[in-house]
Amino acid sequence: GEPKRLARIRQKFFGLTWTADSKSLIYGASPTADYEESYLWRIDAKEGAEPRRLEFASRGAFSPAISAASRILVFARSTTDADIWRLNLGQRSEPLLSSSAVDEGAQFSPDGSQIAFVSGRGLNGMSIWTSDAKGGNLRQLTAGTNSYDRSPRWSPDGTKICYEARQPNGYWSIKVVDLSSGGSRTISSGGRNDQWPMLSQP
């Protein structure tokens, strides 16, 4: 018969398989060509169906396969575990911020009391987090499905953080988040890359 479109999905596919009852499809997909940003999705095999993300597989899941006999789902998972370390001059370095996901891009606040960093520990993309100078009192500032935020930079008064945020169209925009309210606003966006923000001194 004639092929039919189930959904228009603007992502890169990493594997596809039928469910054991042949009523749905499970696939891996990423907004980029990076396996580590892939998630598993399920979509019913009927026109107009909406894909649902399979949260149990978490970030980095791809290449699904299902056993028709046992109905067991298997898949591959790509992970990187970078951590943030502290080095006191003349001493040995030691881990400061670590998790089972990526932690990177650490920046001390102007008064040295807080650290802004990028982490995937929320298992929902890469987000901007803060901690105290010893790596405690963690707070997630940004979040969103398939979000990718990076390059945090403090304002001189320590009340705001500007950062890069990837748009749905794949380009990078500049945003600012207010630490007191948690609200963020977009400084620049569109069909181009705006990157590496830096806030000037007053």
Side-chain angles (χ1 to χ4, degrees):
E2 291 293 321
K4 61 181 180 180
R5 177 175 305 205
L6 300 182
R8 184 182 294 275
I9 299 168
R10 300 184 182 278
Q11 292 185 307
K12 183 172 178 60
F13 282 81
F14 294 119
L16 178 72
T17 188
W18 285 98
T19 55
D21 60 9
S22 297
K23 293 182 179 180
S24 303
L25 291 159
I26 294 177
Y27 61 91
S30 168
T32 69
D34 189 347
Y35 284 105
E36 293 190 9
E37 294 188 53
S38 177
Y39 287 87
L40 291 189
W41 298 77
R42 177 172 181 154
I43 186 170
D44 293 335
K46 59 183 181 181
E47 291 187 70
E50 290 293 329
R52 306 182 302 277
R53 199 167 84 178
L54 303 181
E55 301 295 347
F56 65 83
S58 72
R59 187 171 180 263
F62 64 99
S63 293
I66 289 181
S67 166
S70 62
R71 296 175 179 260
I72 293 175
L73 168 68
V74 296
F75 57 91
R77 193 153 162 252
S78 177
T79 60
T80 296
D81 185 15
D83 296 320
I84 295 169
W85 289 58
R86 181 200 298 273
L87 175 62
N88 295 314
L89 296 181
Q91 301 179 25
R92 294 175 63 88
S93 59
E94 58 184 11
L96 177 64
L97 290 160
S98 61
S99 68
S100 59
V102 171
D103 299 290
E104 62 186 13
Q107 291 281 320
F108 274 102
S109 61
D111 63 3
S113 66
Q114 297 184 78
I115 301 171
F117 65 103
V118 181
S119 180
R121 65 181 64 205
L123 298 180
N124 196 24
M126 299 293 286
S127 305
I128 307 297
W129 291 65
T130 59
S131 75
D132 60 31
K134 295 183 178 180
N137 296 314
L138 294 171
R139 178 187 177 191
Q140 185 175 1
L141 291 179
T142 66
T145 302
N146 291 329
S147 65
Y148 199 126
D149 303 326
R150 67 184 187 186
S151 305
R153 295 293 185 273
W154 290 88
S155 62
D157 61 5
T159 63
K160 300 177 180 65
I161 294 174
C162 62
Y163 61 97
E164 298 175 28
R166 190 174 60 205
Q167 304 174 69
N169 63 10
Y171 289 103
W172 294 93
S173 64
I174 304 299
K175 291 189 174 184
V176 174
V177 58
D178 185 278
L179 271 70
S180 60
S181 68
S184 63
R185 60 190 178 94
T186 300
I187 300 298
S188 68
S189 64
R192 63 186 185 278
N193 284 320
D194 297 318
Q195 297 176 274
W196 304 112
M198 294 290 288
L199 286 158
S200 64
Q201 296 294 326

